[in-house]
Amino acid sequence: MLTQNPLTLSDAQRIAESIVGPVRWDGAQGHCQCPGEASHTTPTAPTDCKAVVEPIATAGGTLAPGVYCFHGSCRAACDDASHALRSALGKRQPGQPGSRTWHPRVTPAPKPQFNLAKLEHIARKLDGIDAGWLAARSAKTPWNRTPASFLHELYRPGERVVVFDVFESQGQALWTCTAPPFDARALDGFRTGKARGVWYLAQPVNGEFADTGTFNKDVTPHLSRRSFRTVTSWRYMVLESDKANPDHWLAALVQMPLPISAIYTSGGKSIHALVRVDAGSKADWDFQAAKVKPPLVMLGADEKAISAVRLTRLPCCERVEKAQIQTLLYLNGTPDDTPICELPPIASGWHGDWQPADQDGGAL
Ligand SMILES: [Zn+2]
């Protein structure tokens, strides 16, 4: 039989290290020194480059074995290293000497699946999670926010956020966060009259258009200000669910030990949560996302939506096609891992005599 000498994960890791040097492994992938680091034109973070030795499922498809770097200037060196790695791994395939085609020897982990029973079980632990309950635990009062005062809670002075009312576009506005006092009405032009509603790119960007220089050479590069090239901070992850009952999804979200910065409706049936990640690079973001994805997907999170460069609904804006407002339910710019359900109520809800959580922005 040809299977007498299978390539184990540790064999594959050793082969990779013979090409790129030491790797900080996490399963079949790990951060390493970029083989083209000398050509980087911007500072190099230790998480910028990673080696992959088995096909890895990502939100954008399958990441083949290879060497991937956040920087673009080192692409030739990374391509060479990727080729060497695939070739070396291929040569170890029994029966396929010298094959350049990758055939996985290690069965990939099963794809995470939505588990309705599990979600219902968790949701049942906590009843009555609604807008009032969330508002009572929200560090910033949700009901008097504007699109701009919402964003102001999430970004730092000088940071820029792209705002869209055409999903497929490069954005209709570039909002810049300024130090207080700020103009809470800055994006009020988006609050009404937008047929499909309004989105923002969750990661702040530099506002410039850049060659997307995608890792996949088959994709024609194009100029974009909503690609990973222009992101200035890998701060957030968006969670949304199309499958879960919204009440159950909300009940599960508030029990998760995740630093949730904001929760809002899509103006449709979906509820989005903005989770603070603070990754050091896109590779680091992908790394962290891969770890949290299985349990989140099991509870109903849309796997495809867990991607590093993601548009999400901008609260306090109308979605005309649904005759609904994209409604802010919860806002906390400095969250920690404490599940929201363990936070003490700080206000009594939407219309009660709420305590002054924080009234910055000053616009109604
Ligand atoms: Zn590089």
Side-chain angles (χ1 to χ4, degrees):
M1 287 296 289
L2 297 173
T3 52
Q4 57 186 343
N5 193 17
L7 189 62
T8 64
L9 178 59
S10 63
D11 289 339
Q13 289 175 338
R14 255 196 310 278
I15 289 172
E17 295 203 358
S18 73
I19 294 165
V20 296
V23 180
R24 295 181 301 284
W25 292 107
D26 182 24
Q29 61 181 334
H31 292 121
C32 60
Q33 186 176 10
C34 174
E37 186 174 319
S39 65
H40 288 178
T41 53
T42 51
T44 301
T47 50
D48 280 355
C49 188
K50 69 174 176 181
V52 174
V53 295
E54 287 171 23
I56 288 178
T58 70
T62 302
L63 193 60
V67 179
Y68 299 95
C69 184
F70 165 79
H71 298 268
S73 53
C74 53
R75 202 198 297 179
C78 290
D79 282 353
D80 286 350
S82 291
H83 183 264
L85 176 57
R86 283 176 208 146
S87 181
L89 292 169
K91 277 181 183 135
R92 295 289 307 273
Q93 299 305 303
Q96 298 181 43
S99 167
R100 288 185 189 172
T101 312
W102 170 254
H103 298 280
R105 301 302 304 172
V106 183
T107 311
K111 215 170 150 52
Q113 299 281 348
F114 175 42
N115 185 330
L116 178 64
K118 186 97 182 168
L119 173 66
E120 287 179 341
H121 176 75
I122 287 178
R124 265 199 302 274
K125 292 184 189 170
L126 210 55
D127 224 8
I129 308 304
D130 58 12
W133 187 95
L134 279 161
R137 287 154 184 84
S138 179
K140 302 281 164 132
T141 49
W143 60 267
N144 63 346
R145 291 294 120 184
T146 64
S149 74
F150 165 77
L151 292 179
H152 201 275
E153 175 68 5
L154 303 172
Y155 300 93
R156 300 180 188 131
E159 288 185 329
R160 292 169 167 176
V161 176
V162 202
V163 176
F164 304 72
D165 58 47
V166 178
F167 188 87
E168 303 81 0
S169 73
Q170 291 296 323
Q172 282 62 51
L174 185 65
W175 175 84
T176 302
C177 187
T178 54
F182 61 92
D183 181 5
R185 295 161 302 181
L187 294 168
D188 278 5
F190 286 92
R191 294 187 78 166
T192 55
K194 303 301 183 188
R196 293 172 58 205
V198 182
W199 298 263
Y200 68 104
L201 180 57
Q203 316 296 16
V205 295
N206 61 17
E208 292 161 13
F209 288 81
D211 184 336
T212 50
T214 167
F215 292 137
N216 179 353
K217 285 186 285 187
D218 297 334
V219 175
T220 311
H222 70 287
L223 293 179
S224 171
R225 66 174 175 180
R226 51 182 285 190
S227 86
F228 73 98
R229 299 260 170 223
T230 61
V231 166
T232 56
S233 169
W234 301 95
R235 188 171 306 149
Y236 292 117
M237 177 183 301
V238 178
L239 300 180
E240 55 185 277
S241 178
D242 289 333
K243 333 177 177 63
N245 168 312
D247 291 338
H248 293 169
W249 171 240
L250 205 49
L253 273 178
V254 301
Q255 295 179 69
M256 292 178 185
L258 290 174
I260 295 178
S261 286
I263 301 175
Y264 40 91
T265 71
S266 67
K269 287 182 188 139
S270 186
I271 292 171
H272 293 202
L274 193 67
V275 178
R276 185 127 184 177
V277 175
D278 287 327
S281 66
K282 180 173 183 302
D284 184 31
W285 192 100
D286 289 340
F287 209 58
Q288 295 195 37
K291 280 188 188 167
V292 297
K293 203 182 274 185
L296 291 172
V297 169
M298 192 175 67
L299 294 178
D302 182 353
E303 186 173 3
K304 286 205 170 67
I306 301 178
S307 66
V309 182
R310 191 77 200 164
L311 301 197
T312 175
R313 294 281 172 177
L314 182 60
C316 317
C317 295
E318 184 184 13
R319 184 172 172 185
V320 174
E321 62 182 357
K322 303 276 185 190
Q324 286 197 53
I325 303 293
Q326 300 172 181
T327 305
L328 180 63
L329 301 173
Y330 180 87
L331 182 61
N332 177 6
T334 54
D336 60 28
D337 287 344
T338 311
I340 293 172
C341 68
E342 290 176 15
L343 298 175
I346 51 177
S348 61
W350 292 92
H351 300 297
D353 56 337
W354 47 273
Q355 299 304 303
D358 185 321
Q359 292 302 296
D360 68 355
L364 279 173

